[in-house]
């Protein structure tokens, strides 16, 4: 859409995509800006809703719709915010394409300037709110499960030098490791932050991968964080966050429970925080 049309046509969906970066096929980082309203305050780690009408086109390479959609009805899904909560001109999201999905093939077809629904309500409990200031944090993610951690890191964790931070990010391939350059740079300039990327399919790499392989659970079992921090993360000194593939969440939960960590809830405070995307 040309800039003149964009400026004159206010969208009824309330927001527009202002940037789209393809990390790898089927993996994008998008920025969405409100059109004529202000974003509310939010806590890093929270999510909001993106939506498009059933009439919106699906991207090339996705499966056809399995059900017929009412062209006027909005399809909405939750997305964790990756951008900082400090400047709030736009929100950023890290999204994977579900080829058979209802919304993501439509989001992937959007171009810069296109209208998109951006929910005005930002919510969620997967935040650092319940972590005491003097506790270290381990952030375990697979795929787009990294999203809430990017907001936490960009908003406060990169500056908070009193606490150790370990970001463990698993993906199939090195090219699926979104935000790798930013996290590697932050690790270099923030001595309290450790970035531990790992891949599960090293045989596919065009150039030999020298980093960790396998799953987040393997990183925990091999005590990689202990070695980086110089001490063993324990329920007394550390909180753990888990977000991404259900298998990783379950596997990590079991390992952490064995090591004395407890799942956190409002009623029963603990040190393990979970966000389930599906
Ligand atoms: C609190 C919350 C935050 C979320 N944040 C993100 C986010 O930051 N980025 C993101 O990509 N998704 C996120 N999701 C998932 C998102 O809401 C949608 O479910 C997803 O984009 C698929 O939508 P769809 O309509 O295309 O697929 P649907 O037609 O709704 O199909 C759903 C199926 O897609 C698969 N699926 C859903 N999410 C993923 C995923 N991330 N990776 C792989 N497979 C998936 C599952 O098999 C699920 O059963 C979040 C979900 C929740 C509840």
């Amino acid at each position: 859409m040309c800039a003149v049309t964009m400026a004159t046509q206010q969208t009824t969906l309330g927001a527009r995509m202002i940037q789209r970066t393809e990390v790898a096929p089927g993996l994008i980082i998008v920025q969405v800006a409100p059109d004529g309203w202000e974003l509310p305050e939010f806590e890093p780690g929270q999510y909001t809703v993106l939506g498009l009408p059933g009439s919106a086109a699906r991207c090339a390479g996705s499966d056809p719709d399995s059900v017929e959609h009412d062209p006027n009805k909005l399809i909405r899904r939750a997305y964790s915010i990756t951008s900082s909560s400090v400047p709030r001109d736009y929100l950023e999201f890290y999204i994977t394409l579900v080829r058979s999905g209802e919304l993501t093939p439509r989001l992937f077809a959007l171009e810069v300037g296109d209208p998109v629904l951006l929910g005005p309500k930002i919510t969620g409990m997967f935040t650092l709110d319940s972590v005491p200031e003097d506790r270290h944090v381990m952030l375990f993610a697979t795929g787009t499960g990294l999203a809430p951690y990017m907001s936490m890191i960009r908003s406060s964790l990169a500056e908070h030098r009193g606490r150790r931070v370990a970001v463990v990010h698993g993906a199939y391939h090195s090219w699926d490791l979104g935000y790798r350059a930013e996290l590697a740079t932050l690790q270099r300039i923030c001595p309290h932050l450790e970035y531990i990327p790992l891949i599960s399919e090293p045989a596919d790499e065009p150039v030999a991968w020298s980093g960790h392989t396998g799953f987040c659970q393997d990183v925990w079992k091999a005590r990689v964080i202990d070695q980086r921090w110089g001490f063993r993360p324990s329920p007394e000194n550390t909180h753990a966050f888990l977000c991404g593939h259900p298998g990783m969440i379950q596997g990590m939960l079991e390992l952490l429970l064995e090591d004395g960590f407890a799942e956190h809830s409002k009623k029963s405070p603990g040190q393990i925080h979970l966000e389930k995307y599906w």
Side-chain angles (χ1 to χ4, degrees):
M1 185 180 294
C2 78
V4 177
T5 323
M6 268 171 66
T8 51
Q9 187 192 346
Q10 261 231 331
T11 170
T12 50
L13 294 176
R16 289 184 191 275
M17 181 178 284
I18 58 161
Q19 199 180 84
R20 180 191 195 279
T21 308
E22 187 175 80
V23 175
L27 200 54
I28 52 173
I29 295 171
V30 297
Q31 293 176 356
V32 177
D35 194 6
W37 53 282
E38 287 206 359
L39 290 167
E41 287 189 10
F42 68 93
E43 287 299 318
Q46 291 189 309
Y47 63 90
T48 187
V49 162
L50 292 177
L52 285 169
S55 57
R58 295 173 71 86
C59 65
S62 62
D63 303 341
D65 269 326
S66 55
V67 289
E68 204 177 314
H69 283 282
D70 177 341
N72 300 313
K73 204 173 160 200
L74 284 170
I75 306 168
R76 302 157 184 258
R77 296 287 183 271
Y79 292 96
S80 302
I81 297 164
T82 64
S83 43
S84 166
S85 61
V86 186
R88 292 196 312 277
D89 301 333
Y90 62 83
L91 296 180
E92 187 183 273
F93 303 95
Y94 182 34
I95 304 177
T96 197
L97 173 66
V98 177
R99 285 178 205 285
S100 59
E102 292 183 38
L103 183 62
T104 51
R106 290 174 165 84
L107 288 175
F108 272 69
L110 291 182
E111 291 176 10
V112 168
D114 284 347
V116 58
L117 174 94
L118 178 66
K121 192 172 163 230
I122 302 178
T123 185
M125 308 291 288
F126 193 65
T127 70
L128 295 162
D129 268 7
S130 52
V131 183
E133 288 275 314
D134 62 348
R135 299 299 197 279
H136 311 295
V137 288
M138 305 185 289
L139 309 171
F140 292 94
T142 57
T144 52
L146 183 71
Y149 307 149
M150 289 313 299
S151 184
M152 293 176 187
I153 292 164
R154 289 164 157 181
S155 308
S156 68
L157 286 180
E159 288 158 314
H160 193 320
R161 287 169 192 250
R163 88 180 356 153
R164 307 301 297 261
V165 179
V167 191
V168 183
H169 187 203
Y172 290 116
H173 305 114
S174 62
W175 54 90
D176 302 321
L177 288 166
Y179 298 99
R180 187 175 165 199
E182 181 173 339
L183 289 169
T185 305
L186 282 172
Q187 171 175 251
R188 193 172 55 75
I189 59 180
C190 304
H192 65 293
L193 192 145
E194 296 292 338
Y195 170 50
I196 305 167
L198 65 143
I199 59 168
S200 59
E201 305 295 335
D204 297 343
E205 294 294 309
V207 170
W209 170 258
S210 60
H212 294 279
T213 57
F215 301 103
C216 290
Q217 296 91 306
D218 300 316
V219 165
W220 179 248
K221 284 192 267 187
R223 301 198 164 205
V224 175
I225 299 173
D226 313 26
Q227 288 149 24
R228 298 277 190 104
W229 285 359
F231 59 88
R232 176 80 175 150
S234 73
E236 288 71 41
N237 60 29
T238 303
H239 278 230
F241 286 73
L242 311 177
C243 186
H245 193 280
M248 182 280 282
I249 294 183
Q250 188 54 36
M252 278 306 305
L253 183 61
E254 285 167 16
L255 291 174
L256 290 168
L257 290 173
E258 272 171 30
D259 285 343
F261 290 81
E263 195 174 335
H264 177 81
S265 70
K266 233 180 179 179
K267 276 191 185 155
S268 160
Q271 310 82 18
I272 309 173
H273 308 258
L274 315 177
E275 184 79 292
K276 292 182 179 166
Y277 283 179
W278 78 97

